[in-house]
Amino acid sequence: IRYFEISNDRTSVVMQCDRRGRSAHRAQNTNNSLPEIKFPCCPMLGVIGLAPKGELEISTMPAGKHGGNLDNKINTIGSTIHIPVNHPGALLSIGDMHASQGDGEICGTGVEVSGDVLLSCSITGSSEIAENEYPITETKTHWVTHGVAVEDIPRATTIASEEAALLLTKEWGFSMEDACVFLGVAGDLGLCQAIHPDKGTVI
């Protein structure tokens, strides 16, 4: 990523990304009212998903069981995203790259950028993960389940928690009771996308 630009209320701040230092700083501000800004560049994909069930076309904006606009900042370099396949060929869509974004995407946008993405795809077949209905992100240190409920964050947290419990029972042999106890001790809930269009995409 060489450069990017963000705009808010007619105030344009041109940002530059230091590829070697993996940081960004404000290069120019049209009204000079903002202080010097510097923060890490953490490129991530806001949208990654497969074609949903059914035959109707949808935009990449909604999030759901198919993935879509999850806006999860851990969907980044080195992450593996497990998504249920509904159609032959899977029909993968990716996009909405951000150089940086906070949890919840509070103002409705991160630092939107264009860029190139290199990824590999494989089919897991009859893996126990296939029993989960929503995408799961796997990193070197964590497994992250998702839940989506339009305008209903409590429901979304319930879905994400149920998905996490299911993963523990099927992948690691936990009983449901032990899975719930484990999640209460070592599980974390967080908002990825709380603005639009599906408030309540959560970890």
Side-chain angles (χ1 to χ4, degrees):
I1 299 172
R2 292 289 186 182
Y3 68 92
F4 50 89
E5 180 176 335
I6 58 174
S7 297
N8 182 17
D9 254 356
R10 299 182 182 177
T11 299
S12 179
V13 181
V14 179
M15 311 293 285
Q16 290 182 341
C17 186
D18 177 0
R19 194 171 186 178
R20 292 181 181 176
R22 296 188 62 78
S23 65
H25 64 276
R26 177 174 58 83
Q28 176 185 357
N29 177 28
T30 56
N31 65 8
N32 296 316
S33 64
L34 294 177
E36 185 67 18
I37 300 169
K38 188 172 183 177
F39 52 89
C41 280
C42 304
M44 52 81 75
L45 287 173
V47 171
I48 180 165
L50 306 181
K53 289 182 179 180
E55 302 300 325
L56 295 177
E57 294 182 0
I58 65 167
S59 76
T60 57
M61 184 68 79
K65 295 179 180 180
H66 65 288
N69 192 33
L70 295 171
D71 271 328
N72 191 335
K73 69 182 184 183
I74 68 167
N75 289 338
T76 184
I77 297 169
S79 297
T80 299
I81 301 98
H82 305 269
I83 308 174
V85 175
N86 300 301
H87 296 277
L91 306 177
L92 173 69
S93 292
I94 61 172
D96 190 28
M97 182 184 283
H98 302 111
S100 185
Q101 179 186 295
D103 289 333
E105 200 178 21
I106 294 171
C107 290
T109 182
V111 180
E112 314 288 334
V113 296
S114 61
D116 296 321
V117 178
L118 177 65
L119 53 80
S120 62
C121 301
S122 61
I123 297 176
T124 57
S126 59
S127 167
E128 302 292 357
I129 295 174
E131 296 197 24
N132 283 76
E133 294 187 319
Y134 285 80
I136 298 171
T137 299
E138 176 185 355
T139 72
K140 291 182 179 179
T141 59
H142 291 80
W143 289 79
V144 179
T145 57
H146 296 83
V148 178
V150 179
E151 301 289 345
D152 191 346
I153 290 176
R155 176 59 185 152
T157 62
T158 297
I159 294 170
S161 299
E162 290 173 348
E163 287 282 295
L166 178 62
L167 181 64
L168 288 171
T169 60
K170 298 298 182 181
E171 187 74 9
W172 286 282
F174 281 57
S175 69
M176 185 56 72
E177 181 179 11
D178 287 342
C180 291
V181 171
F182 178 81
L183 289 172
V185 174
D188 297 314
L189 278 171
L191 284 170
C192 300
Q193 158 61 281
I195 299 299
H196 64 103
D198 296 333
K199 295 182 182 180
T201 300
V202 301
I203 300 172

